[in-house]
Amino acid sequence: MAKLSELSASGLREELAALKKKYEALKAQGLKLDLSRGKPDGEQLDLSRPMLDSVNSKSDLIAADGSDCRNYGAPAGIPEARALMAEMLELRPEEVFAGGNSSLNLMHDCLGIAYLHGTPKSKTPWCKLPKVKFLCPSPGYDRHFSVTEHFGVEMITVPMTPQGPDMDVVEELVASDSAIKGMWCIPKYSNPTGITYSDTTVRRLAAMSPAAPDFLIFWDNAYAAHHLHPDSPDKLLGLVAELKKTGKAGMGLMFTSTSKVTFAGAGIAAMGASKENLDYFMKHWGLQTIGFDKLNQLRHARFFSDGYTIERHMRRHAELLRPKFEAVQEVFNRELGGLDIAWWTDPRGGYFISLDTLDGCAKRTLALCAEAGVVMTPAGATFPYGVDPRDRNIRVAPTFATLEEVRAAAELVCLCAKLAGVEKLLGGASEPRAR
Ligand code: PLP
């Protein structure tokens, strides 16, 4: 298909009229679709239903270390849960803390603890400093940005590349400003781009020499096991191993959870870190709670046993999710391919596809979608403070809707992106473009 930018003004006006007609027809259908929810659908959740029977009133409820899962104890998690989460984080069980139900909760807490009490390497709690800043590779995860904003952290947007955050920018900023205390990373099948950090990116991150001695990489490996193509998964270099090589083991905090493996919000969350960091943060968690939900940990550990691994389970998730991701790609390629007004990612895992429109067209595209009955993640949500400086990024979340809904919503998104794009090329919604 011809690039829209190469059409004459009259050609564009004709295109606009045709698109508007199609749009009005689609709008009249009274669609009610939602591609905003990055959560598993019912069929995915059903895959883990048998887990609810893995522990029952007749079960032996004693964990491998002898702790009774009905009682207080095992503050770092029961050994079998630590081993399970270590598998996800590709660490050793003793390097992993298995906690409650939410990794976001752990990340929020780590930041809170650093704010109130500092870290093993901080001389001063972060709240006593005049300014604390975080690097925020964007587009990124809105809830990361909400957490940092909540603590009054100044967020610095760092561009994402297909290899991960732009490391030239990261290295320069981190080395020159001691107020930069941390950085958000979603290293595998990132939210929302779906990209996996390259080996070079991981090595450069591990080799950084931050001006702040207490700089921390918040390594949120939420999609560690979430391959769409399990026979040829993306491979992520282990940050911990690289940090050990550079002698900076304390610079990374690794997080993950089984929220999108078993039950969202009812899984196990885990943190992997150096011994010094684990001991430090666990000391603080030990004041918050006498122990996390060990019965849930046991349920998970027993479900994933006898050869039924997370890897095998995630293959079944992939079978359900792949058709939805493929449907979006098929529609986007057919409707937007070659037009030069939209660009999107084709992730090999994770939960999202990232779509970029022409600059200044994301809000307009999503307003048109909403008017026609399709709800999407709000424009700007993938950037710090909810502001996309180029107003072009749209997060597409195909997991929760049915395949038919995904297809129908993707068609409408394309139509709206085209409408917004042609309006922009014409110099505004109603003004013809001067040639
Ligand atoms: N991290 C990322 C990157 C996510 O996309 C999500 C959920 O969408 C979470 C964390 C939330 O994980 P949890 O349910 O373990 O808090």
Side-chain angles (χ1 to χ4, degrees), residues 74-78 81-83 85 96-100 106 268-271 292 297:
I78 59 173
R82 294 177 81 180
M85 301 315 286
V96 172
F97 155 84
L106 295 182
I268 308 176
M271 182 172 95
F292 290 90
Q297 295 186 357

Side-chain angles (χ1 to χ4, degrees), residues 60-122:
D60 163 24
L61 300 172
I62 307 300
D65 62 353
S67 51
D68 186 334
C69 292
R70 297 168 300 177
N71 218 329
Y72 287 136
I78 59 173
E80 41 277 71
R82 294 177 81 180
L84 184 72
M85 301 315 286
E87 195 185 306
M88 278 187 79
L89 286 168
E90 296 185 51
L91 295 174
R92 294 197 307 271
E94 62 274 22
E95 295 172 313
V96 172
F97 155 84
N101 69 316
S102 160
S103 58
L104 189 66
N105 187 176
L106 295 182
M107 294 177 245
H108 175 282
D109 272 4
C110 286
L111 198 60
I113 291 163
Y115 246 76
L116 289 175
H117 307 284
T119 75
K121 295 201 164 29
S122 300

Side-chain angles (χ1 to χ4, degrees), residues 31-37 39 41 44 320-332 334 351-353 374-376 396-414:
L31 299 174
K32 237 177 167 306
L33 304 171
D34 193 338
L35 280 200
S36 71
R37 289 173 290 190
K39 51 187 193 179
D41 73 5
Q44 288 177 268
L320 297 171
L321 290 182
R322 211 167 38 239
K324 297 183 183 180
F325 280 76
E326 285 171 352
V328 175
Q329 295 299 328
E330 189 275 314
V331 175
F332 281 11
R334 168 165 43 79
Y351 263 52
F352 305 100
I353 293 164
V374 174
V375 179
M376 304 284 293
V396 182
T399 61
F400 188 70
T402 66
L403 182 57
E404 292 67 35
E405 288 169 343
V406 167
R407 220 186 284 283
E411 298 276 0
L412 187 81
V413 170
C414 291

